[in-house]
Amino acid sequence: MVSGGCVGAEGEVDPEAVAPAAATEEAVVPVQAPAREVVVGYALTTKKAKSFLQPKLRGLARKKGILFVAIDQKRPLSDQGPFDIVLHKLTGKGWQQLLEEYREAHPEVTVLDPPGAIANLLDRQSMLQEVSELDLTDCHGKVRVPKQLFVNTDPSSIPAAVRRAGLSLPLVAKPLVAKSHELSLAYDPTSLTKLEPPLVLQEFVNHGGVMFKVYIVGDAIRVVRRFSLPNVDEGDLLNNAGVFRFPRVSCAAASADDADLDPGVAELPPRPLLEILARELRRRLGLRLFNIDMIRQHGTRDRFYVIDMNYFPVGEKNTAGEKR
């Protein structure tokens, strides 16, 4: 089962260590049998499976007594296994129903994670709600979410809706369904009419062009730096118009961990702050495998914003050089 972000085999015995005791009649020490393998059934798209289940990961898992087994999505889950853990990143009502029925029939199996909980991170309208309700003002820093607005109306009415909501330009436009990593930056009211709802508009916060990706696996936390969108100043607002589209921001190729950065930009968020944030979000979201995208407001040391979250982030290299 999963505990503290690690899955491993317990009770392994070194034969050389127990041999002397076994040979001594006066001290008969019972040798504990090796624990059985931990079977992880996985249901991933072909692309995700190839990205996640790298040979290095499989080899490390075998040494730890962990066996990855592909789940046949065309057969009932109860006819497969037995599994100790089910790891998945699939969508669709059919799969969700199949998995929920399996969870009810096999409560002893750890499912990473329940489909209902994952749904919280698939809708950007509600994704950051739990973060906005947290009170972390006195926890080694302040964590907030940018002002944002859900838009599902005629594009021509977006400028008026933005004014009513009190949002300031520029605005980041993100697809409502968090399956796409594409985002756009709108500098002026006219460009807002060129957007394609449904979407979420989020106030842009200057952050020195660096984002912190916080990976959470159970109790374990890992943070990496990624290059992000550069700061926007008054001159940019005056001299730019239109919608600027970014197919993907902060991917692994944009790693900033080894870059020569201003220390005020590069400094990682305080560890105690991340631990409290991760613990609270695990509890509120009911998830154990997700990541948080955080930025530090430029010119401050302790003011952070959570701008996005993702379930089971797979496909980019982490700081250990392994796929995440």
Side-chain angles (χ1 to χ4, degrees):
M1 307 302 276
V2 173
S3 176
C6 300
V7 183
E10 300 177 352
E12 294 182 351
V13 178
D14 183 349
E16 294 183 1
V18 300
T24 305
E25 293 182 357
E26 291 80 9
V28 179
V29 179
V31 179
Q32 184 178 358
R36 67 176 182 83
E37 283 186 320
V38 174
V39 181
V40 180
Y42 66 90
L44 308 170
T45 64
T46 302
K47 180 180 178 181
K48 295 299 182 185
K50 183 178 179 181
S51 175
F52 175 64
L53 293 171
Q54 293 286 301
K56 184 176 180 180
L57 175 61
R58 287 185 179 273
L60 179 62
R62 281 195 297 270
K63 292 179 181 178
K64 297 290 185 179
I66 303 168
L67 177 65
F68 285 100
V69 177
I71 290 174
D72 185 347
Q73 301 167 39
K74 298 179 181 179
R75 294 172 51 207
L77 277 173
S78 295
D79 293 348
Q80 304 178 60
F83 303 120
D84 297 288
I85 298 169
V86 171
L87 184 67
H88 71 103
K89 191 174 184 180
L90 296 176
T91 57
K93 292 183 178 180
W95 167 253
Q96 292 182 12
Q97 181 177 352
L98 194 70
L99 197 56
E100 290 292 1
E101 292 173 352
Y102 180 78
R103 290 182 66 218
E104 291 182 10
H106 297 276
E108 76 283 1
V109 178
T110 298
V111 175
L112 296 176
D113 272 307
I118 294 172
N120 293 328
L121 299 191
L122 299 182
D123 185 345
R124 286 198 169 100
Q125 184 180 5
S126 57
M127 175 193 291
L128 303 181
Q129 182 65 35
E130 295 295 346
V131 181
S132 67
E133 294 177 357
L134 292 175
D135 182 10
L136 300 180
T137 54
D138 297 317
C139 301
H140 308 275
K142 302 176 180 66
V143 179
R144 302 172 180 171
V145 299
K147 285 185 181 179
Q148 62 180 32
L149 174 67
F150 166 61
V151 177
N152 189 19
T153 185
D154 184 79
S156 63
S157 65
I158 296 178
V162 167
R163 286 195 300 271
R164 288 193 300 270
L167 269 65
S168 301
L169 293 163
L171 294 173
V172 179
K174 300 180 179 181
L176 178 63
V177 179
K179 292 182 181 179
S180 171
H181 295 280
E182 180 176 307
L183 59 83
S184 304
L185 193 60
Y187 281 92
D188 64 293
T190 302
S191 65
L192 296 174
T193 65
K194 300 177 182 178
L195 299 174
E196 300 177 5
L199 50 81
V200 168
L201 295 176
Q202 197 174 81
E203 276 193 345
F204 181 79
V205 178
N206 281 338
H207 52 282
V210 172
M211 175 191 299
F212 304 106
K213 299 190 80 70
V214 184
Y215 299 102
I216 299 166
V217 183
D219 294 328
I221 300 172
R222 169 164 291 187
V223 188
V224 298
R225 302 177 188 87
R226 295 277 189 262
F227 284 116
S228 180
L229 299 180
N231 287 349
V232 175
D233 59 27
E234 210 169 303
D236 294 320
L237 290 174
L238 292 174
N239 298 319
N240 288 294
V243 176
F244 293 81
R245 302 188 186 279
F246 301 89
R248 192 177 182 93
V249 179
S250 78
C251 64
S255 174
D257 277 328
D258 298 323
D260 184 15
L261 299 170
D262 180 335
V265 171
E267 183 182 6
L268 296 178
R271 189 74 184 186
L273 177 67
L274 294 179
E275 290 174 349
I276 295 171
L277 178 62
R279 182 178 69 242
E280 286 299 312
L281 288 179
R282 282 200 313 268
R283 182 179 64 83
R284 289 168 174 259
L285 296 172
L287 296 172
R288 285 166 286 185
L289 189 60
F290 61 103
N291 95 282
I292 304 168
D293 289 346
M294 291 181 68
I295 57 175
R296 173 190 286 110
Q297 185 172 351
H298 191 59
T300 74
R301 186 176 184 183
D302 63 352
R303 187 170 297 176
F304 300 93
Y305 287 85
V306 173
I307 58 174
D308 215 343
M309 292 193 286
N310 300 281
Y311 175 67
F312 190 2
V314 177
E316 298 178 14
K317 292 182 180 179
N318 61 24
T319 54
E322 298 168 358
K323 296 289 181 176
R324 68 173 177 86

